[in-house]
Structure formats: structure tokens, C-alpha cells
Amino acid sequence: MTWRADILTLLPGIFPGPLGFSLAGRALQEEVWSCRVHDLRPYGLGRHRALDDTPFGGGAGMVMRPDVLDHALSDITSGDETGRPVIYPTPRGRRATQKDVVRLAEGAGVVMLCGRFEGVDERVLEKYDVQQLCLGDFVLSGGEIPALALLDGCVRLLPGVMGSSLSGEEESFSDGLLEYPQYTRPAEWEGRSVPSVLLSGHHGDIARWRQKESEVVTRERRPDLWAAYCQQSLS
Ligand SMILES: C[S@@+](CC[C@H](N)C(=O)[O-])C[C@H]1O[C@@H](n2cnc3c(N)ncnc32)[C@H](O)[C@@H]1O
């Protein structure tokens, strides 16, 4: 069955963008997944098809109106019995993880709501039980790039999209650790050698070396992941 992505955006031309290339692009052509893009502008109000208004309580910028987004979301989700979640990428969301993309890829698809301006009126997020995910602790100008990133993370996990299913299992985050360093030919390059264990052909030694390197890099670069990994190993 085709994994379905419906995207609500003020900038429909952005999609599928990079997802039209490489693995995701091929999967799109082969209908492993579908990408339906919905322009929010026609749902806007008045002569200027406005989607936004000033924030109650004052402050800078504009907020996307709940009535306008409700109209668009109900049009797109009505009659859909797949139970696909509505995702709103936002800096106010929980930090997205590999577990989230695995969970989403295992479902029937997603409805992505791309924010602009200062964001979306809270009430429409409540009404649709919207899942709010943050891409990182920095602010982008719109939800389109986070939506593309989350979709890419999901699509590559769909059955048949990646060449080897093992490449998904051994990646960073899959076991709570960052990945070990990677090397390829030539074995000697600009006076730098590949670690000899990788040329030994001894699978057990290679696996132990990779595990140790994963642990070292995770401890150094991501103390948060390392703490969670240690906690999980104890339990
Ligand atoms: C300029 S931002 C709004 C930021 C918002 N006023 C705040 O301080 O949380 C406009 C839109 O970009 C998207 N966005 C920006 N940064 C993001 C991030 N780190 N993760 C996910 N979405 C983000 C969201 O959809 C957001 O509604």
C-alpha cells in the first residue's frame, strides 16, 4: 500500500523538491509513497485570501488563523480512515528523533502542516490532536524545510526504498549511539591509513572496534544520548 503524505503549505512549489531525487524520487515514481501538496492560500479570507492575523495580547508578527487551517485540514482529512497523524513542525515541539520517523514510516502516512509567520493558533492544534516536532534548537522561517527533512527520514525507511535493510539498522541513533567512523579506498591517503582492524577480515574484531568507536563518539559529542544509553544498559 502506498504511504501517503499530504502537505499543507503556503509555498506549494517547494515540494517535492529534494524528495523528487535519488532514493525518495525513485520511490515516488514507483508509488511506494505519494506526495499531495495543498496550497493554503485559496482557503484564506477576503479579497487578499488572508490566512494570518495579529496575535491576541500583542507582540511582533502574525499568527495563522484556526478557522482557515480548520477548513483546509477538514477538507484533506475528511473520509480518511487511515488514522494518519497530523504533524506540525515547530520549535515548540518535542525534539524529533529516529524513533519518531520509524513510528511514522510504519503507519499509513502523515499530514504535514507547514507553519509560517509566528506560527499557528493553538486551538486548531488541539482540535486535530496535532503532533508537534522540533527539528533542532534553532528557528527557521517556515515549516517546509523541517517537513521535507521529516518526510525524507520516513521515506527512506519504507520497504524496498533503501538498497540494504541493514543500512537502516546500523545507523546513528538506531541503537541509541552515533555511528562509528567510516572509511573506504584508498587504504592509504595523504599519509593517513585506515585503522588496520578494518583490513583484517576478522568480523568479531571489526564489530568490537566499531562498538567502541560508537561509544567514544557518543560520549564525547552527545552526553544526552550517552546518559540515556548507559541508563538503558543498566535496566
Ligand atoms: C519563524 S518560525 C516561528 C517561530 C515561533 N514564533 C517560535 O518562536 O517558536 C515559523 C515556522 O517555521 C517552522 N519552524 C521554525 N523552526 C523550526 C524548527 N526548529 N523545527 C521545526 N519547525 C520549525 C514552524 O512551522 C514555525 O511555525
Side-chain angles (χ1 to χ4, degrees):
M1 214 173 62
T2 301
W3 192 85
R4 287 172 48 198
D6 280 82
I7 301 153
L8 288 77
T9 172
L10 270 168
L11 299 169
I14 288 183
F15 297 93
L19 302 184
F21 295 86
S22 188
L23 293 181
R26 197 160 50 241
L28 190 56
Q29 271 176 10
E30 290 169 358
E31 297 180 10
V32 176
W33 71 293
S34 69
C35 179
R36 288 178 46 201
V37 187
H38 308 272
D39 186 358
L40 284 170
R41 184 60 69 191
Y43 291 97
L45 306 174
R47 201 157 51 92
H48 297 295
R49 296 270 170 240
L51 286 106
D52 54 325
D53 213 324
T54 53
F56 281 126
M62 303 292 272
V63 176
M64 296 175 91
R65 291 177 58 117
D67 47 356
V68 171
L69 295 179
D70 180 32
H71 188 183
L73 279 167
S74 66
D75 259 8
I76 289 150
T77 58
S78 70
D80 179 359
E81 283 167 11
T82 58
R84 287 179 300 158
V86 182
I87 307 291
Y88 171 49
T90 166
R92 298 185 64 243
R94 184 170 55 69
R95 180 84 74 88
T97 67
Q98 184 65 15
K99 281 204 180 90
D100 289 305
V101 291
V102 168
R103 170 179 56 84
L104 294 173
E106 283 172 355
V110 291
V111 177
M112 283 280 176
L113 172 59
C114 301
R116 282 271 148 184
F117 318 117
E118 291 310 317
V120 169
D121 186 291
E122 194 69 16
R123 291 165 294 178
V124 78
L125 302 177
E126 287 163 10
K127 173 169 175 180
Y128 286 88
D129 197 16
V130 172
Q131 297 179 20
Q132 303 183 46
L133 293 176
C134 173
L135 210 65
D137 295 348
F138 50 90
V139 179
L140 300 165
S141 44
E144 287 77 13
I145 290 174
L148 285 167
L150 290 168
L151 288 172
D152 183 62
C154 293
V155 167
R156 64 197 291 281
L157 298 178
L158 297 176
V161 174
M162 266 192 286
S164 153
S165 57
L166 263 186
S167 47
E169 284 163 25
E170 282 194 2
E171 281 177 326
S172 293
F173 312 120
S174 50
D175 61 357
L177 295 173
L178 301 180
E179 196 179 60
Y180 45 81
Q182 298 275 15
Y183 298 89
T184 185
R185 289 185 184 80
E188 281 284 328
W189 177 73
E190 295 195 348
R192 295 163 196 265
S193 312
V194 166
S196 57
V197 64
L198 298 179
L199 309 176
S200 69
H202 192 294
H203 297 304
D205 285 354
I206 292 171
R208 275 187 289 280
W209 180 86
R210 285 179 163 168
Q211 177 69 19
K212 191 178 119 273
E213 290 294 320
S214 278
E215 292 180 3
V216 167
V217 74
T218 308
R219 195 167 57 227
E220 280 175 9
R221 296 182 188 170
R222 292 292 302 271
D224 56 329
L225 291 181
W226 179 245
Y229 178 78
C230 293
Q231 188 68 37
Q232 185 196 312
S233 311
L234 285 177
S235 58

